[in-house]
Amino acid sequence: MPLSANNTNRKSWINVPEDSDFPIQNIPFGVFITKDDVITIGTRIGDSAIDMGALQQLNYFEGIELTDDMFMQDTLNDFISDGKKTWRLVRNRLAELFDETNPELRDNKEHRDFVIFDVKDIEMQLPVLIGDYTDFYTSKEHAINIGKIISNPDKALPLNWFHMPVGYHGRSSTIIPSGIPVNRPMVQTLPIGETTPVFGPSRMVDFELETAFITTDANIMGENIPIAEAEDYIFGMVLMNDWSARDIQKWESLSFGPFLAKNFATSISSWIVTMDALEPFRTKGPNQDPAPFPYLQLKGKHNFDINLEVAIQTEKLDTTIVSKTNFKYIYWSMIQQLAHHTSNGCRVNSGDMMGSGTISGPTPDSFGSMLELTWGGENAIQLNDGTERKFINDGDTVIIKGFCKNNGLRIGFGEVSSKLLPPFVRK
């Protein structure tokens, strides 16, 4: 089926500001509440949010096989379950409907008023009901940095890292959309030089610059997904800040792995950018040596050229960009992650989310966490307002942005933005 929605010559009758993340070639999907308190599935062009539930009620998806309430739900799970053919049909139809040459909706003011909202007048929601969440550890540069900081500088990576995408299962109950604040966690830590732990607020709250992909129903229990088919089960991507408490992580990881240091909050961007929209930005990933086992071997371009940046905004609204990197640096691709995840027969469902792990580049200004940027807290970062940070302060807002750009086409994710609040106090 052709990807007509990706036509770079197409323009919309909806105004799209210069350098917008959301031209008509994007057509992301999300869930929002309208100014009339109606919850709906929608898309976005420029600064306009489009109510797809209203479009369905007005028969603008006629000819595409959809359940009657497909877009009048509070999650995208059912739509994602319908599979790649349906995603592409709907996205192509939306691109056709909002093409500047198509008068069907453009010249119908009554319908336009029912369908289109200013993004300032809507409230974005979590786009999917996330049943399961896995976080991988796929950036070689990040993994080496962490190894040097917290373990053996001469042997930073364990042997297994080069043979498989390493990951762990996270907590889906605390995944939140952009804009929702996060409380500093309270839990056990072991002060430096002490042998007895203490209980109190984390002193080393950190961001992790990540992306994540959302899956459709992929297999039944016991069935693996061949790597040649894995991409068909990936709906799209979001930006992700996988908040971390490094002092908690150091203490609890002595005996096992990430737990309370990682499950207190994970923030994601609100619009899911489809793999179809990202198609023009494919690129080759890093050379993999040693060669992976056959079930993980790939040929061709399976990474994506996505520019990423992190900024810290203080309570006085002064903003400093602290990191710029690129998704293309990840060593293990999303396809390899999904193929490995199911190689033992683990079931993957619609709405499952899989994080990339922190994405770091090769230079100090491209590291994807404060732990790396300050080298374990040894070197404070200077912010534009003259203050310093080793980790994130209460009142700071972490803002992650991401976009692709080539041949004049820009496709972006918007942002994931979250403010760190003091510890929760029960009243």
Side-chain angles (χ1 to χ4, degrees):
M1 184 186 305
L3 271 173
S4 61
N6 286 13
N7 181 353
T8 57
N9 295 319
R10 191 190 297 273
K11 296 185 183 299
S12 176
W13 49 264
I14 291 179
N15 179 58
V16 177
E18 187 176 357
D19 284 335
S20 170
D21 282 353
F22 303 102
I24 193 171
Q25 289 81 10
N26 192 339
I27 312 289
F29 295 98
V31 175
F32 59 85
I33 300 176
T34 72
K35 60 185 178 182
D36 300 317
D37 290 328
V38 174
I39 191 164
T40 185
I41 288 170
T43 188
R44 175 173 176 173
I45 297 176
D47 293 330
S48 295
I50 296 157
D51 184 342
M52 291 171 58
L55 285 175
Q56 185 173 13
Q57 289 177 295
L58 295 168
N59 295 320
Y60 283 101
F61 295 113
E62 188 175 2
I64 301 176
E65 292 186 15
L66 301 169
T67 57
D68 291 342
D69 65 342
M70 176 65 78
F71 300 124
M72 291 167 271
Q73 301 186 38
D74 58 2
T75 74
L76 282 159
N77 292 59
D78 281 359
F79 175 56
I80 295 173
S81 288
D82 257 22
K84 193 170 186 176
K85 179 182 177 181
T86 298
W87 313 335
R88 190 168 290 183
L89 284 169
V90 168
R91 188 166 166 271
N92 284 349
R93 175 65 57 84
L94 288 166
E96 175 189 345
L97 185 61
F98 290 96
D99 188 290
E100 64 179 354
T101 64
N102 189 340
E104 187 178 2
L105 180 59
R106 182 195 68 194
D107 297 346
N108 190 326
K109 185 179 184 306
E110 182 181 356
H111 283 191
R112 286 202 320 268
D113 290 344
F114 190 50
V115 166
I116 301 172
F117 299 86
D118 191 302
V119 290
K120 296 177 182 177
D121 296 329
I122 64 168
E123 181 182 336
M124 296 302 298
Q125 305 294 294
L126 202 65
V128 290
L129 178 62
I130 300 168
D132 285 297
Y133 159 48
T134 301
D135 194 27
F136 284 94
Y137 192 48
T138 58
S139 166
K140 179 181 176 182
E141 290 79 6
H142 170 70
I144 289 175
N145 289 340
I146 297 304
K148 288 180 177 179
I149 292 169
I150 67 175
S151 59
N152 184 347
D154 298 320
K155 194 175 182 181
L157 284 178
L159 176 64
N160 66 349
W161 198 92
F162 287 103
H163 292 277
M164 63 182 181
V166 178
Y168 73 94
H169 295 292
R171 182 76 179 173
S172 62
S173 62
T174 43
I175 298 173
I176 53 177
S178 179
I180 304 297
V182 171
N183 290 99
R184 182 178 295 272
M186 298 279 292
V187 81
Q188 288 187 28
T189 59
L190 183 69
I192 295 175
E194 300 293 330
T195 57
T196 302
V198 298
F199 183 84
S202 168
R203 297 179 181 275
M204 300 171 68
V205 175
D206 199 355
F207 65 80
E208 290 194 356
L209 168 57
E210 301 194 29
T211 63
F213 65 89
I214 308 296
T215 66
T216 186
D217 300 295
N219 60 341
I220 59 174
M221 185 173 173
E223 178 187 22
N224 69 299
I225 300 174
I227 195 161
E229 300 174 14
E231 192 167 330
D232 290 338
Y233 299 104
I234 299 176
F235 174 64
M237 295 178 66
V238 294
L239 303 175
M240 187 169 93
N241 178 3
D242 194 24
W243 291 89
S244 298
R246 300 301 185 182
D247 44 359
I248 300 171
Q249 187 173 2
K250 182 179 180 180
W251 172 232
E252 67 186 9
S253 294
L254 291 177
S255 57
F256 204 39
F259 185 42
L260 300 185
K262 303 286 291 181
N263 69 4
F264 64 97
T266 299
S267 305
I268 66 171
S269 53
S270 300
W271 295 103
I272 302 175
V273 178
T274 65
M275 302 314 297
D276 276 353
L278 295 170
E279 184 68 27
F281 306 98
R282 287 184 178 273
T283 188
K284 286 188 175 182
N287 180 54
Q288 294 184 328
D289 183 20
F293 283 110
Y295 80 98
L296 290 174
Q297 288 181 6
L298 283 171
K299 292 182 179 180
K301 298 179 179 181
H302 296 287
N303 272 24
F304 294 86
D305 185 2
I306 305 173
N307 300 290
L308 300 166
E309 71 173 41
V310 185
I312 297 174
Q313 184 181 80
T314 67
E315 286 195 288
K316 294 182 179 180
L317 304 183
D318 188 90
T319 303
T320 304
I321 295 174
V322 296
S323 176
K324 287 189 175 183
T325 187
N326 196 294
F327 179 76
K328 68 185 178 183
Y329 293 125
I330 66 165
Y331 186 88
W332 295 104
S333 72
M334 292 183 289
I335 301 171
Q336 289 173 315
Q337 292 169 38
L338 185 55
H340 180 66
H341 200 308
T342 64
S343 63
N344 68 344
C346 176
R347 185 174 176 182
V348 170
N349 299 310
S350 173
D352 285 356
M353 188 176 87
M354 304 194 184
S356 61
T358 305
I359 302 167
S360 293
T363 58
D365 60 351
S366 64
F367 295 165
S369 66
M370 293 295 282
L371 184 64
E372 296 165 90
L373 290 166
T374 67
W375 209 250
E378 292 180 7
N379 309 308
I381 291 176
Q382 289 283 137
L383 302 188
N384 291 336
D385 65 358
T387 62
E388 293 183 341
R389 294 292 185 278
K390 292 184 177 180
F391 291 94
I392 306 301
N393 286 0
D394 292 346
D396 288 346
T397 298
V398 177
I399 304 167
I400 295 175
K401 296 182 179 181
F403 69 92
C404 313
K405 189 171 184 178
N406 66 27
N407 300 319
L409 176 64
R410 177 186 172 116
I411 298 290
F413 295 79
E415 67 179 32
V416 52
S417 172
S418 304
K419 185 175 185 177
L420 182 64
L421 302 180
F424 176 82
V425 177
R426 186 177 294 278
K427 297 178 180 179

